[in-house]
Amino acid sequence: MNDNQDNVRDTARDDVRGDLRDDVRNGTPDDVRDDVRDDVRGRIDALVAVGRPAEARAVARTALADDGPEAGLFLALARAHMAEDDDDHDDAAERVFREGLDAFPDDIGLLAGYAELCTRSDSMDRPGRHARGPVLLARLREIAPESAELKRADAAGSSVSTNARNSASVHRVQSFDAARAFAEAPTPQAAADQAAQWAAAAPRDLRFAVLAETTAALAATGRTWLRLLLCRGVEYRFATGLVVAVLIVLRITVLPAIPYGMAAGLGLLLGLPFLGLRRLLRAARERAADRIAAAISVSASVSEAAPGAEAGDGAEPGDGADAHGDAETRGDAEARGDDEEAAVGGDGPGAPELPPVPRVTRREYAFAGAGLALLFAVGGTSYAASLEYPRYDIVAHDTFRGLQGFELRQEFDPFGAISDSELNDSTARVYAAADAAPDAAAEYLVAVTTGDFHEMRESFVDDDRLFPAVTDQEGVVHESWQAETGPHGAWMRCLRYTEAGTGTPRAMCVWGDKGSIGMVLFTAADENHEAVEETARSVGTAFLRPAAD
């Protein structure tokens, strides 16, 4: 790519030098000289448009060196510096503007371009340059009060320029043109052929070149899916958002086991095809830039031959035969130039005027509205789910499974760390035989509370956030595991340990959901996990019952 750019740059420089030298040597009339200068300025603007400002500056400097000062060339050179969007190049652009205004103090283009540079500069970094902006604008209002240059320079001082407000991005223009071409053509290949004809008819028009390269790439075999994304990208994005929203709503409402990461991962997976489309469109723009550069080089070669480069340098005015021969030679050269211009395509009538690209279409507005409605629906569902939680009634048994119950809250409050605003009701009891000794180990310890625990997560149960862990003073833990489900489908975790002091084998299970938190300890010599979990579930459901509506 770099070698190709160097070749184009060298060719453009040689072409410009040859054009202007022949003009001076052969006594080219002023109107032809002006045409040559217009052609040079056109090449410079085209090179800047395709992102090659360095080559544009080389062409401009060569033309200024060979043909002397000219206001349009100064302006073109300065804008080629400004296109770099760099402080050093902005400084260089200012030097070019000032040199140009020294030679052409009342040129509207130079005044407007310099005013744009000054008004867009940072008042803190370049206070002197920024202060010159109003002075230049005042001069423009004096000599050209209704000019388009003045309006453009005025708009440059806005935080968002008029062009930026009213223009679409390069990517949007490319997508809009290609989608329109495919929609109006009977087949994708027909759209590519039509775009190629338009690009050949307007070889310096970057928009036609991008359209031709884009349609050619997308019309290739196996690109049906990418064409669909280009033409129906808005619908595809909405469908992707709808799928992700449905998964989120299901996760919130009826399928809490679905991780949110699944919805996010699916959304990313469905968006991957757009990466391939963007890469294809970017490559098409790069090829279009190369096409324009090549067209500029060919056009420069044609211009070199047209003014009469074939005429003999040593011909005498009185030599009739030689003069006649020279005339024929010049005529042949002009004919060849016309033929070559036609072969290049020129900016002829075969290329239609492409329609302006709207920043937002009605269809996009409609889908944007639908997307906002979908977003509000998901948000509303999430908010409603956050406020909703299962309601339970606590059944505090005086006796349970033939054992006598004793209130434990005054001696042991397992829910002391929970805010009173979240609690509705709670109980904590131990159950032992009625005739058991006072220091005998209880068969069951049950602690249950209900309330608004809508922030409850499975991780709260797993990392001992609900109840304190068993310490070495209380017993020796043998194993801990995540249970299947707790009472009424809650998250639950169980462990087995040997009670310190008595040596009694115990099991403890804790559970939690958005409406209840519970814990049960009981004697469990059996090491079977399923038996331990089933005992905990049965105890929990005996003390917790769904509230009646």
Side-chain angles (χ1 to χ4, degrees):
M1 178 67 72
N2 291 334
D3 292 340
N4 185 34
Q5 291 177 352
D6 293 339
N7 292 335
V8 172
R9 180 167 56 250
D10 295 340
T11 301
R13 187 185 298 111
D14 294 341
D15 289 339
V16 171
R17 185 179 289 111
D19 286 346
L20 299 178
R21 187 182 299 112
D22 288 344
D23 292 341
V24 174
R25 184 177 65 244
N26 297 327
T28 308
D30 289 341
D31 55 347
V32 177
R33 185 185 298 274
D34 291 340
D35 289 342
V36 172
R37 285 175 171 173
D38 289 342
D39 182 69
V40 172
R41 289 194 296 268
R43 295 181 216 167
I44 297 170
D45 293 339
L47 286 169
V48 171
V50 298
R52 299 184 177 184
E55 298 175 36
R57 292 193 296 272
V59 173
R61 291 192 187 99
T62 299
L64 285 169
D66 288 351
D67 201 37
E70 199 269 327
L73 289 176
F74 279 122
L75 178 60
L77 176 58
R79 291 199 178 280
H81 277 294
M82 293 169 63
E84 297 284 2
D85 193 19
D86 176 82
D87 289 342
D88 291 339
H89 280 282
D90 286 347
D91 294 342
E94 182 173 22
R95 290 193 294 270
V96 172
F97 276 125
R98 300 184 76 161
E99 182 182 354
L101 288 171
D102 286 343
F104 308 95
D106 293 330
D107 185 80
I108 297 175
L110 287 172
L111 286 170
Y114 193 16
E116 288 183 45
L117 175 67
C118 293
T119 53
R120 288 179 180 173
S121 62
D122 192 297
S123 59
M124 301 295 292
D125 293 340
R126 297 289 193 276
R129 180 189 300 166
H130 187 79
R132 285 189 285 275
V135 178
L136 293 165
L137 289 174
R139 178 61 177 159
L140 266 176
R141 293 189 185 95
E142 180 182 340
I143 63 177
E146 301 297 331
S147 64
E149 289 83 357
L150 174 61
K151 295 178 181 178
R152 184 172 61 249
D154 266 330
S158 171
S159 59
V160 180
S161 67
T162 302
N163 288 339
R165 287 194 297 267
N166 298 332
S167 62
S169 67
V170 173
H171 177 270
R172 179 170 179 79
V173 172
Q174 180 184 17
S175 301
F176 177 86
D177 289 343
R180 177 174 171 269
F182 284 125
E184 294 180 353
T187 64
Q189 189 57 49
D193 293 342
Q194 181 66 78
Q197 293 177 9
W198 292 342
R204 288 191 187 178
D205 193 304
L206 181 60
R207 189 173 173 185
F208 280 117
V210 171
L211 175 60
E213 294 294 342
T214 304
T215 52
L218 288 172
T221 305
R223 300 282 172 80
T224 303
W225 181 244
L226 293 179
R227 288 197 301 272
L228 176 64
L229 289 180
L230 178 78
C231 299
R232 290 291 181 261
V234 176
E235 291 87 340
Y236 182 85
R237 289 186 179 92
F238 179 78
T240 299
L242 182 62
V243 171
V244 173
V246 168
L247 283 177
I248 293 176
V249 171
L250 289 175
R251 166 64 178 80
I252 294 171
T253 55
V254 296
L255 295 174
I258 297 178
Y260 284 111
M262 179 180 293
L266 182 60
L268 291 174
L269 183 63
L270 292 175
L272 285 179
F274 281 107
L275 296 179
L277 178 61
R278 279 189 169 273
R279 187 161 47 248
L280 183 145
L281 295 180
R282 183 170 58 250
R285 292 196 297 270
E286 292 173 355
R287 290 194 301 273
D290 292 338
R291 177 197 287 248
I292 294 295
I296 292 171
S297 177
V298 172
S299 177
S301 300
V302 173
S303 299
E304 183 179 3
E310 298 294 330
D313 291 339
E316 294 293 333
D319 192 345
D322 290 343
H324 178 70
D326 290 344
E328 289 182 349
T329 303
R330 285 195 298 271
D332 292 342
E334 292 174 359
R336 282 197 303 273
D338 292 341
D339 292 341
E340 291 182 33
E341 189 79 41
V344 170
D347 294 340
E353 182 178 355
L354 294 176
V357 180
R359 297 195 66 188
V360 183
T361 63
R362 292 183 178 178
R363 183 167 61 96
E364 289 170 329
Y365 272 123
F367 277 97
L372 286 176
L374 185 62
L375 183 62
F376 281 121
V378 173
T381 303
S382 301
Y383 180 72
S386 69
L387 298 179
E388 185 61 31
Y389 61 93
R391 269 71 170 179
Y392 299 103
D393 291 330
I394 294 179
V395 181
H397 299 276
D398 292 332
T399 60
F400 180 67
R401 297 182 180 179
L403 303 173
Q404 184 66 40
F406 301 93
E407 180 63 41
L408 194 63
R409 289 293 297 273
Q410 292 183 352
E411 300 179 8
F412 172 65
D413 185 5
F415 309 113
I418 301 176
S419 172
D420 292 338
S421 62
E422 297 178 327
L423 291 174
N424 288 342
D425 193 11
S426 64
T427 186
R429 295 194 173 200
V430 294
Y431 292 89
D435 56 353
D439 59 349
E443 292 294 327
Y444 294 96
L445 185 153
V446 182
V448 180
T449 185
T450 61
D452 179 6
F453 309 124
H454 62 266
E455 296 293 336
M456 177 66 66
R457 298 291 183 270
E458 184 177 4
S459 59
F460 293 2
V461 179
D462 291 340
D463 58 9
D464 299 323
R465 296 193 193 184
L466 301 182
F467 298 101
V470 177
T471 63
D472 293 339
Q473 289 76 18
E474 295 169 335
V476 178
V477 177
H478 301 296
E479 61 177 330
S480 175
W481 70 93
Q482 183 177 0
E484 293 295 330
T485 56
H488 305 291
W491 296 295
M492 186 169 70
R493 187 170 189 81
C494 298
L495 61 85
R496 290 181 59 257
Y497 71 101
T498 299
E499 190 175 59
T502 65
T504 305
R506 297 280 191 180
M508 181 177 75
C509 293
V510 297
W511 70 84
D513 61 15
K514 295 181 182 295
S516 71
I517 298 173
M519 174 180 69
V520 57
L521 285 79
F522 52 92
T523 303
D526 192 347
E527 297 182 0
N528 191 311
H529 289 187
E530 293 183 1
V532 172
E533 295 173 16
E534 182 56 35
T535 300
R537 277 191 293 268
S538 63
V539 173
T541 53
F543 281 77
L544 280 176
R545 294 177 183 173
D549 294 335

